[in-house]
Amino acid sequence: MVVPEAGLPAAVTIHEVGPRDGLQNESAVVPTEVKAEFVRRLVDAGLGTVETTSFVPAKWVPQLGDAEDLFAQVRDLPADLPVLVPNERGLDRALELGARHVAVFASATETFAQRNLNRSLDAALDMFEPVAARATAEGVRVRGYLSMCFGDPWEGPVDPARVVDVGARLLGMGCAQLSLGDTIGVATPGQVTALLARFAAAGIGADKIAVHFHDTYGQALANTLAALRAGVATVDASAGGLGGCPYAKSATGNLATEDLVWMLTGLGIDTGADLGRLVATSAWMAGHLGRPSPSRTVRALAGER
Amino acid sequence: MVVPEAGLPAAVTIHEVGPRDGLQNESAVVPTEVKAEFVRRLVDAGLGTVETTSFVPAKWVPQLGDAEDLFAQVRDLPADLPVLVPNERGLDRALELGARHVAVFASATETFAQRNLNRSLDAALDMFEPVAARATAEGVRVRGYLSMCFGDPWEGPVDPARVVDVGARLLGMGCAQLSLGDTIGVATPGQVTALLARFAAAGIGADKIAVHFHDTYGQALANTLAALRAGVATVDASAGGLGGCPYAKSATGNLATEDLVWMLTGLGIDTGADLGRLVATSAWMAGHLGRPSPSRTVRALAGER
């Protein structure tokens, strides 16, 4: 039953992160052909943006060690297929293969920059600057992930002024969009509203912002609703709720794409996604991973319960 | 981190339904002493309203066949302890034991009335009328559950005008509060806002209404947020996410109390609940039931993952 709610966007872009952020955090190693089929099925299910892989050294993230092979297999699909690049070497590999959209992964907190990137927050931004400059010079779109925007497992609450400052620096480098991450899933809706208001006050509108929520404490969809009310129209989600973050304690899966699509469909918000195909894809991938999907919608509709 | 959101209530009453609605729908039979300890621990955790049991015939719901014994063990706890009564015989038993708050369970749809109560919607309301009249005459508070308010597994979408009509009849009988149930968990936030607006247009304010969401498709907390915005200040929830509905296909657990408390605490909304004690209680009960809690907050904080 479709009942719109006043003040929400008419359409939302789902930035699907399952193949990259999801599989990166699964202990099982998925064969390249299965990953390629996963990406193909997600595109077939109507997702226009599917983040495919990460051009990080295989020794850092062995699960994504097949980035070149995988990207070569899917790059001609009719969709926007962003890839994560940690540095200039990663950018070189992505550009060689014809990537048209890359993402860098920054942290709003000093401690997580050290833990995840093994360098200071400033040093990480210095490393991303030439990446963004070269990519934009070649007409390649750049997305800036900003993790730990609402809480940090080591530092606790995160100062919104710091988040806006780091976000502004990423946009200043040429990032077309920021993805604000609640990496440990602690945020509640008032925090989301307040942070987006801080960005707006700094002249950074909701059109530059995506949200990336984790469902550690079951808050991801309520937080998404708060972000939609503030005008955000790009939402990151992971098919079947795959993923998490191996470097952050207590982190669990991303917001499940299917749970998001259920809400947006009910609200009459256009996403282009076909829920039945998404559920079938996530149930199929859960079989490859050997465990049920954490998505409630997938469990209800795939009859896994 | 506490960040309030404008337009929400300052305090919320959590109507805990775990011992009744939760355990009623578990296949395991829990010993009376364990149930009594469950209720005690929930009250100790700061929950002021704990729906304790149901005075239905044991042949209908064997899980709650010990209603008299259980209620006698907990009735002196310092909390509001509602009990469900299906008919006058159930009311007799509840009043004999000193219950001060009873609930009747109606349906917004004809089919579910037939399936759940084995009589027409009108006949069910006729059955509740003397129950409500006698209870209120004795100064006992009456709550009216209204199930299938947003969708019915057999009838599909439910006409909001029908829901308001049945709700008005329950209030007319003397019910002090309506609990609007999304028994199969299909609702999305626009539906919630719209239904509450229909009630308001009929002169039934949010002060007369509680919401009762199921998390079948992961929507319960987002729907709760929509209800809070409409002024609702009583929210039903089940410790650890216990429960469901054996008569409705695809029904799964209630909104988990802990996930609700996480959101309300973050929003600076007073509930009186102690999250740590709730998590410990739900982890303890999960041990008795022999399966992990479906609450994401319980899993994250109890280290069950």
Side-chain angles (χ1 to χ4, degrees):
Chain A
M1 190 168 168
V2 174
V3 183
E5 172 104 338
L8 303 185
V12 158
T13 297
I14 296 174
H15 187 106
E16 169 63 41
V17 298
R20 196 275 301 168
D21 194 10
L23 294 183
Q24 167 179 343
N25 294 298
E26 293 291 333
S27 49
V29 174
V30 177
T32 307
E33 287 64 33
V34 174
K35 290 179 186 172
E37 180 66 15
F38 187 36
V39 174
R40 260 182 233 116
R41 290 180 69 146
L42 293 169
V43 172
D44 280 348
L47 296 177
T49 305
V50 180
E51 194 164 302
T52 301
T53 188
S54 178
F55 287 92
V56 290
K59 66 179 174 183
W60 294 2
V61 185
Q63 293 94 329
L64 304 184
D66 59 353
E68 270 91 354
D69 281 355
L70 172 61
F71 193 74
Q73 288 188 39
V74 299
R75 64 185 165 194
D76 294 328
L77 289 172
D80 178 12
L81 301 173
V83 294
L84 198 71
V85 296
N87 51 32
E88 286 195 90
R89 174 72 192 108
L91 179 66
D92 291 339
R93 293 163 66 199
L95 294 178
E96 271 166 38
L97 284 160
R100 304 300 305 154
H101 190 170
V102 299
V104 296
F105 194 87
S107 169
T109 67
E110 193 61 50
T111 311
F112 191 63
Q114 291 286 356
R115 299 258 178 164
N116 192 44
L117 300 167
N118 201 27
R119 66 198 69 214
S120 73
L121 199 163
D122 281 333
L125 292 174
D126 288 346
M127 180 172 70
F128 297 142
E129 193 146 22
V131 174
R134 283 181 48 206
T136 50
E138 300 212 22
V140 169
R141 182 176 166 94
V142 183
R143 163 179 251 230
Y145 279 103
L146 196 45
S147 57
M148 302 295 175
C149 290
F150 299 94
D152 177 287
W154 300 281
E155 299 183 17
V158 177
D159 179 6
R162 154 71 73 87
V163 181
V164 173
D165 175 61
V166 180
R169 289 164 72 182
L170 287 167
L171 291 172
M173 287 177 195
C175 288
Q177 185 177 63
L178 295 176
S179 172
L180 306 181
D182 180 17
T183 316
I184 56 172
V186 294
T188 45
Q191 263 189 287
V192 175
T193 303
L195 182 61
L196 292 169
R198 293 289 285 256
F199 271 102
I204 299 170
D207 59 312
K208 294 284 188 196
I209 291 177
V211 287
H212 183 112
F213 293 119
H214 282 234
D215 220 11
T216 319
Y217 301 93
Q219 310 295 308
L221 209 50
N223 289 337
T224 299
L225 185 59
L228 297 177
R229 284 180 195 280
V232 169
T234 301
V235 180
D236 295 7
S238 174
L242 296 177
C245 177
Y247 305 109
K249 68 176 179 183
S250 290
T252 185
N254 289 281
L255 171 61
T257 307
E258 293 85 356
D259 296 4
L260 173 65
V261 169
W262 186 280
M263 183 175 83
L264 296 177
T265 302
L267 288 164
I269 296 174
D270 185 38
T271 65
D274 179 318
L275 183 61
R277 288 187 180 194
L278 283 176
V279 168
T281 299
S282 291
W284 165 85
M285 180 51 81
H288 279 284
L289 295 171
R291 62 162 179 72
S293 165
S295 161
R296 300 207 191 262
T297 301
V298 172
R299 289 182 181 216
L301 295 181
E304 290 174 21
R305 292 169 49 237
Chain B
M1 190 167 169
V2 174
V3 182
E5 172 102 338
L8 303 186
V12 159
T13 297
I14 296 174
H15 187 106
E16 169 63 41
V17 298
R20 197 275 301 169
D21 194 12
L23 294 182
Q24 168 178 343
N25 295 298
E26 293 290 333
S27 50
V29 174
V30 177
T32 308
E33 288 63 35
V34 173
K35 289 179 187 171
E37 179 67 15
F38 187 36
V39 174
R40 258 181 235 117
R41 290 180 69 146
L42 293 169
V43 172
D44 278 349
L47 297 176
T49 306
V50 180
E51 194 164 303
T52 300
T53 187
S54 177
F55 286 92
V56 291
K59 65 179 176 183
W60 295 3
V61 184
Q63 293 93 330
L64 304 185
D66 60 352
E68 270 90 353
D69 281 356
L70 172 61
F71 193 74
Q73 288 189 37
V74 300
R75 63 185 166 194
D76 294 328
L77 289 172
D80 178 11
L81 300 174
V83 293
L84 198 71
V85 295
N87 50 32
E88 286 195 88
R89 172 73 191 110
L91 178 67
D92 291 338
R93 295 164 65 199
L95 294 179
E96 271 167 39
L97 284 160
R100 304 301 305 154
H101 189 171
V102 299
V104 296
F105 193 86
S107 169
T109 68
E110 194 59 52
T111 311
F112 190 64
Q114 290 287 357
R115 300 257 178 168
N116 192 43
L117 300 168
N118 200 29
R119 65 198 70 214
S120 73
L121 200 162
D122 281 334
L125 293 174
D126 287 346
M127 180 172 68
F128 298 143
E129 194 146 23
V131 174
R134 285 181 47 207
T136 50
E138 300 212 23
V140 168
R141 181 177 166 95
V142 184
R143 162 176 251 231
Y145 278 103
L146 196 44
S147 57
M148 302 295 176
C149 292
F150 300 94
D152 177 287
W154 300 280
E155 299 184 19
V158 176
D159 180 5
R162 154 71 72 88
V163 181
V164 173
D165 175 60
V166 181
R169 290 164 72 183
L170 287 168
L171 291 172
M173 287 178 196
C175 288
Q177 184 176 65
L178 294 176
S179 171
L180 305 181
D182 181 18
T183 317
I184 55 171
V186 295
T188 45
Q191 262 188 289
V192 175
T193 303
L195 182 61
L196 293 169
R198 293 288 285 257
F199 271 101
I204 299 169
D207 59 315
K208 294 283 187 196
I209 292 177
V211 287
H212 184 111
F213 294 119
H214 282 234
D215 220 12
T216 319
Y217 301 92
Q219 309 296 308
L221 208 50
N223 289 337
T224 300
L225 184 59
L228 296 177
R229 284 181 196 280
V232 170
T234 301
V235 180
D236 295 6
S238 174
L242 295 177
C245 177
Y247 306 108
K249 68 178 181 183
S250 290
T252 185
N254 290 281
L255 171 61
T257 308
E258 293 85 356
D259 297 5
L260 173 64
V261 169
W262 186 281
M263 183 175 82
L264 296 178
T265 303
L267 288 164
I269 295 173
D270 185 37
T271 64
D274 179 319
L275 183 61
R277 288 187 180 192
L278 284 176
V279 168
T281 299
S282 292
W284 165 83
M285 180 52 81
H288 279 283
L289 295 170
R291 61 164 180 71
S293 165
S295 160
R296 299 203 191 267
T297 301
V298 172
R299 289 184 182 215
L301 294 181
E304 289 175 21
R305 291 170 51 239

